[in-house]
Amino acid sequence: MADGPYTAYDPDSGPSSNGDRDAVPSVKPYHHPAAGWGAAMSVSNFMVRKEHELLSGTRAILKMNHPPHGFDCPGCAWPDATDGLKLDVCENGIKHVAWEMTHKRCTPEFFAAHTVSELATWSDFDLEDQGRLTHPMVYDAETDHYVPISWPDAFEMVGKTLRELPDPNLASFYTSGRLNNEATFLYQLMVREYGTNNLPDCSNMCHEASGRALQASLGTGKGTCDIEDWDKADALFVMGINAASNAPRMLTALTEAHKRGAQIVHVNPLVEAGARKAIIPHDFVDMATFHATKTSTLNLQVRIGGDFALMRGIAKHVLEEAETDPKALDHEFIERYTDGFAGYVREVKDTTWAEIQRQSGLSESEIRKAAGIYCDADRTVMSWCLGITQHEHGVDTIREIVNVLLLRGNLGREGAGPSPVRGHSNVQGNRTCGIDNNPSAEFLDRLAQVCKIDPPRANGYDVVSTIQAMQAGKLEFFLGMGGNFVAAAPDAAYTFEAFRKCGFTVNVSTKLNRSHVVHGKRALILPCIGRTERDEQRSGPQITSMENGMAVVHMSRGIRKPASEHLMSEPAIVAGLAKATLPHTKTPWEYYIEDYDRIREVMSKALVGFEDYNRRVRLPLGFRIRQPARELIFLTPSGKAEFSTVTLPDTINPPGVLTLATQRSHDQWNTSIYSDSDRYRGVKNLRTLIFMNDQDMRERGLKEFDEVDITSTARDGSTRSLHRYKVVPYDIPPGCAAGYMPEMNVLCAIGDYSTESDQPLMKSVKITVALSS
Ligand SMILES: Nc1nc2c(c(=O)[nH]1)N[C@H]1C(S)=C(S)[C@@H](COP(=O)(O)OP(=O)(O)OC[C@H]3O[C@@H](n4cnc5c(=O)[nH]c(N)nc54)[C@H](O)[C@@H]3O)O[C@H]1N2
Ligand SMILES: Nc1nc2c(c(=O)[nH]1)N[C@H]1C(S)=C(S)[C@@H](COP(=O)(O)OP(=O)(O)OC[C@H]3O[C@@H](n4cnc5c(=O)[nH]c(N)nc54)[C@H](O)[C@@H]3O)O[C@H]1N2
Ligand SMILES: [Mo]
């Protein structure tokens, strides 16, 4: 159990138990291809057994990712197939949709039957398993129950509180990455009209490092690649991504790349299922013949946090090659488009192979093999996700990835470039449409001019500083627009305590979660319609839009009847809150909600790249937001792509200390747990586990399924522990360990965030492991 009163994370009650508490844990290696029949079986099981939604579910899935009549998959941000022919869905996308379409309902009667203190002891799984929220609910401290409240009363409760706060900075407004563009724009407008930039979002824990690194190197905080670039690359580097679980449609790109002879290098401490072989479900011939395609040429099992060293090694190889082969470097590109090359060369030359091997945990020959693949390819795409970002040196590592790309001119041409793989389906759109606690002056100027408001100019709180402000008693109000803030955030004990100190917490949600049962002194749950559901307003059914991880904005149309007649859409909830909060508002909230075209009309004026939004969003494939760096226009101080020149940092632990990466199982969506199994890693019925290397186990006298205490030591010396986790031997480099979020967030100290990106260090928790007494 976790230190403190967090019984939900107690292995005795099962951290996320799928209801089958007697299920016996087991682990055995998984040798089957990713996707394929295993995924198909898992989907039908999930839909029939768990959600009883096979028929209507199947109908909905056929409309997924198929504009103009379908909705955008609320799963990951991987782009849709552009030919419109394929059944462009995956196992986890389908599970995600089925999760939203469940027949189960979490009603006022449910809340009447359970006190909130009781619910706080339930597992994350059990909370969400109550199904869709049906009514707005308010916390009644006297009875310790949530009780129904009308929408107007709920809005007024928020409005009155916000109107009476002496300083708008006493409130913070979180966004999870699912919120559509229209709701996002209205939300940030409301918050800025109210007077604060306290707009933390899930990006603060996710790809903040990518934005900062790409901004510094290239002058635009996004990747430059399209899905077509993935289709044309000769070499693909896939770093720190569990593709088969978290971006399964990437497997299509990988199998197709392999079939056309492209090289695929995976960089990951674990050899994940997506780095072996796969069968793509829409490839009917392969499905029928059980024909699996390889998805990897080379797997580099880097030490956790060793990616910077690996990239430095690749750069060193390229520079050494260039001594005999002038074509190893793209001299013309470097000369014309980049700045800082000479300084970078010095830095690389000063880094020894010995140091590169020590820091990366890879041998020189392994690194040279990857570098050889890179040098042989005319066009290379390098992609990454959380394995790269959630580290102290995330920004410098991504900048080193860009350095390597620049050496051979892999930018601004087909089949080449940096390509961060984003998480939530609209997390990129949230930033584009203004969710940013550090907004640029240009953005605010334009917003001020178009919306006739006077936005605040000071930077606001991000996720970590929001929690710290709550702890310090400096935050009276919190609104979560989607997501599950307390469970997703680092340092469960600290964050839970902070949340409970907050005067008033409000969550706009589809399902019951931890952020409702760990709550402020006053609390509201505002239930909304989901992506799959029809959004009817005065002018009729509305479309909304999202931006995928490759900057393509496209429309989505919900097709199902809302889960309850009492639900409101997210744009309408924002408008309701805004009207109640801003008595002198200049924004015509109601007018906007009657017809979302009117919101898009103003967005087309306020946001760069959204000209003619209403027409272009209805194009079959939507439209791509212009990326200057893709056109070799660099909005950097030098006007060129900037090499970063950083000395390779030392990230090796003292003896006895392991680095823990907290990550997802195959059967969860962030804090939403679908089951306690992790199929591709061969784990059944167990989440309170820690994957360890054999040698590290031997040194500690541990064997499989031994129960251990895991203790993390923060930079400030404070410690946090989890008890009686089961050890699972796994093929992971020595000195490294892995386990599951959100349970392990108990171990992530609030003060341990990157000095480069402010991101919590969720993939480099320093731990010791010992047999439980
Ligand atoms: N089904 C499903 N899909 C999802 C999500 C989900 O929870 N479920 N979440 C969504 C979200 S919000 C996001 S951000 C993405 C997350 O997608 P991922 O980034 O794949 O998420 P994680 O599970 O955290 O896995 C990180 C991967 O990095 C590896 N890793 C850990 N440390 C290191 C390191 O130091 N170096 C390298 N090279 N690799 C390392 C791990 O072994 C693991 O394979 O997925 C999105 N898609
Ligand atoms: N230790 C550790 N912690 C991590 C991470 C990690 O790798 N390790 N990853 C981090 C990352 S990358 C991310 S993105 C965050 C995720 O953090 P969040 O985005 O805050 O969390 P989710 O689990 O995605 O949120 C799930 C909840 O969203 C609500 N929801 C679902 N659909 C909708 C909808 O359409 N509208 C609304 N309003 N609500 C909806 C449901 O009520 C559900 O309970 O977690 C972070 N936390
Ligand atoms: Mo994320």
Side-chain angles (χ1 to χ4, degrees), residues 176-498:
S176 159
R178 219 181 297 240
L179 199 66
N180 59 52
N181 281 353
E182 293 74 8
T184 301
F185 184 78
L186 292 187
Y187 185 44
Q188 62 83 35
L189 181 60
M190 169 187 106
V191 172
R192 296 202 162 102
E193 197 174 338
Y194 175 61
T196 180
N197 283 314
N198 288 346
L199 283 162
D201 69 348
C202 67
S203 261
N204 298 148
M205 302 180 270
C206 186
H207 268 287
E208 196 68 56
S210 305
R212 298 220 189 156
L214 294 170
Q215 186 70 40
S217 291
L218 305 178
T220 5
K222 296 178 184 175
T224 62
C225 290
D226 274 349
I227 188 67
E228 285 80 12
D229 294 318
W230 281 66
D231 292 341
K232 287 179 182 143
D234 305 313
L236 290 163
F237 279 65
V238 182
M239 308 178 63
I241 307 173
N242 176 9
S245 297
N246 296 333
R249 288 178 299 137
M250 185 199 291
L251 297 177
T252 309
L254 298 184
T255 50
E256 283 169 7
H258 190 270
K259 284 179 182 170
R260 67 166 194 275
Q263 306 290 303
I264 307 165
V265 180
H266 290 267
V267 180
N268 200 311
L270 312 184
V271 180
E272 303 280 27
R276 294 191 205 108
K277 54 192 173 176
I279 301 179
I280 302 307
H282 63 240
D283 196 329
F284 297 112
V285 177
D286 283 356
M287 280 293 270
T289 56
F290 292 89
H291 179 261
T293 305
K294 278 184 72 178
T295 48
S296 169
T297 328
L298 179 66
N299 284 323
L300 294 177
Q301 286 184 263
V302 69
R303 200 177 63 77
I304 293 178
D307 304 85
F308 188 160
L310 164 64
M311 281 296 130
R312 183 57 57 92
I314 293 179
K316 202 167 171 71
H317 177 94
V318 174
L319 292 177
E320 286 171 13
E321 282 294 290
E323 285 165 18
T324 52
D325 175 8
K327 287 213 288 298
L329 288 174
D330 188 337
H331 291 283
E332 201 191 317
F333 179 90
I334 292 170
E335 178 64 28
R336 197 157 156 207
Y337 295 112
T338 73
D339 188 53
F341 176 65
Y344 180 61
V345 171
R346 268 196 307 277
E347 215 33 91
V348 175
K349 289 200 166 145
D350 284 351
T351 320
T352 63
W353 276 108
E355 194 54 17
I356 288 169
Q357 293 183 85
R358 197 171 83 93
Q359 296 294 334
S360 66
L362 299 165
S363 68
E364 183 179 329
S365 70
E366 283 175 294
I367 297 174
R368 286 196 190 272
K369 206 162 168 189
I373 291 175
Y374 179 56
C375 286
D376 287 344
D378 284 335
R379 303 184 266 207
T380 300
V381 167
M382 292 203 177
S383 72
W384 65 89
C385 198
L386 303 182
I388 304 299
T389 61
Q390 293 177 327
H391 291 286
E392 169 58 30
H393 302 290
V395 172
D396 284 341
T397 303
I398 296 162
R399 296 202 66 187
E400 191 74 7
I401 293 172
V402 175
N403 288 345
V404 170
L405 288 169
L406 294 178
L407 289 177
R408 294 182 42 77
N410 278 302
L411 190 75
R413 56 189 174 85
E414 278 190 337
S419 190
V421 174
R422 306 300 304 254
H424 268 301
S425 53
N426 197 35
V427 62
Q428 191 156 310
N430 295 155
R431 264 303 149 87
T432 310
C433 298
I435 303 299
D436 194 341
N437 62 303
N438 299 327
S440 71
E442 299 83 64
F443 174 83
L444 293 178
D445 289 345
R446 216 164 145 145
L447 190 70
Q449 195 209 338
V450 173
C451 298
K452 315 266 180 300
I453 65 164
D454 182 16
R457 298 284 164 165
N459 286 344
Y461 294 139
D462 63 2
V463 165
V464 168
S465 50
T466 288
I467 301 167
Q468 289 172 326
M470 279 180 184
Q471 266 287 0
K474 290 191 203 146
L475 212 67
E476 274 304 309
F477 178 88
F478 172 89
L479 174 65
M481 196 38 104
N484 185 0
F485 186 81
V486 300
D491 212 340
Y494 182 95
T495 296
F496 287 17
E497 192 181 280

Side-chain angles (χ1 to χ4, degrees), residues 99-100 128 174 176-178 202 205-206 386 390 424 481-485 488 508-513 528-531 570 662-664 669-672 741 745 748 762-763:
W99 173 95
E100 179 173 303
E128 285 201 347
Y174 175 68
S176 159
R178 219 181 297 240
C202 67
M205 302 180 270
C206 186
L386 303 182
Q390 293 177 327
H424 268 301
M481 196 38 104
N484 185 0
F485 186 81
V508 178
S509 313
T510 54
K511 287 197 179 177
L512 183 63
N513 67 36
C528 64
I529 62 168
R531 184 84 55 85
E570 287 161 318
T662 60
Q663 47 207 46
R664 290 145 182 79
W669 177 273
N670 299 336
T671 67
S672 301
M741 59 87 67
N745 292 24
C748 303
M762 289 159 164
K763 298 279 187 281

